[in-house]
Amino acid sequence: MRYFATDLFVNRVVMVTGASGTIGAELARQFGGHGAQVVLTGRNQERLAATHRSLDVLGVDALTVACDVRDEEAVQGVITQATDHFGVIDVLINNAGANFYAPATKMSHRTLQTAIEINVFGTFHFTQAALGGMIERRGGVILSILDPHPERGFPFYSHTGAARAAVQSLTASWAREWGPYGIRVNAVGLGPTPSRGTRTSMLVGDPRTNRTLDAVIPRTATGRLGAPADVSAAALFLCSDAASFITGVTLTVDGGLSLPPATIPERDS
């Protein structure tokens, strides 16, 4: 089902990091399907190629450049190739991230460092590299995909929670700093959504995996898990001109999972 005009992002270039994953691929397809030219980047070249092929089917003009977000020089190379090819980057979606089970009692220095390097420095590298062109044109949108409400704590994933909290703070700070240049900076706080990452990375080693993500369904107000389309719909809105007066926010997309407990009994309707 379409909620937005198919030409919503015509004549705009959208870059998606982590485009080799489930969420990143869906973001790329949705922006491309709404008229954007798309730049795909990620570490896994095989999965990037699969995402690119899915865009070809839609007739989307896309460029694919493999890159590790932790490598600042490589990131700058991606931005250079993208601007050489398309001329500009209008929208940057920082979707690349790391999320894996690591109890704090057993966490190593390297575990925390990996989460910080991918989530924080990866976001920083791409944002800084794309920023110059946006400032020069006095316009652009930066959107990061996060976990919702990291300030509430993230047991067994405290390394990831700390990293995502840092990006949330950067989002608010950058929005204030770069607003005068016509640049908007926002984030989407993504709730329980099945993806390749949650199946193969986040849940590996977690003794609670026999419950799977379905265990949280009763705790959501909507009574279901999220879908990649839920994320892309929020992203399309926040990156569009319809959200031109929205900046510095993290939009929670979690089906009501993070709502506080009800204080009064609910009645049957």
Side-chain angles (χ1 to χ4, degrees), residues 126-260:
F126 265 99
T127 301
Q128 286 289 93
L131 180 64
M134 292 183 179
I135 289 178
E136 184 178 344
R137 298 191 312 281
R138 301 192 71 82
V141 179
I142 298 163
L143 182 74
S144 296
I145 308 300
L146 307 176
D147 299 298
H149 302 293
E151 74 280 1
R152 297 184 182 182
F154 202 1
F156 305 103
Y157 302 88
S158 58
H159 54 313
T160 299
R164 299 301 176 99
V167 175
Q168 187 177 59
S169 178
L170 289 172
T171 295
S173 297
W174 288 343
R176 289 183 178 275
E177 285 191 36
W178 303 335
Y181 297 106
I183 299 169
R184 295 189 297 108
V185 190
N186 290 303
V188 171
L190 172 60
T193 304
S195 67
R196 191 192 65 82
T198 55
R199 289 193 302 269
T200 63
S201 177
M202 182 176 177
L203 299 177
V204 168
D206 187 340
R208 303 166 298 161
T209 55
N210 60 333
R211 298 185 304 167
T212 72
L213 286 178
D214 291 344
V216 304
I217 292 177
R219 293 162 49 201
T220 66
T222 55
R224 69 173 177 88
L225 295 176
D230 296 317
V231 187
S232 61
L236 287 167
F237 166 65
L238 285 175
C239 294
S240 74
D241 291 341
S244 62
F245 201 52
I246 299 175
T247 193
V249 307
T250 298
L251 176 62
T252 299
V253 182
D254 71 352
L257 178 64
S258 57
L259 288 172

Side-chain angles (χ1 to χ4, degrees), residues 94-125:
N94 290 308
N95 172 68
N99 202 0
F100 48 91
Y101 179 73
T105 54
K106 301 177 181 179
M107 188 182 300
S108 67
H109 173 93
R110 181 58 187 162
T111 296
L112 179 59
Q113 183 177 12
T114 297
I116 297 295
E117 286 180 348
I118 295 175
N119 293 288
V120 182
F121 281 102
T123 297
F124 172 79
H125 291 156

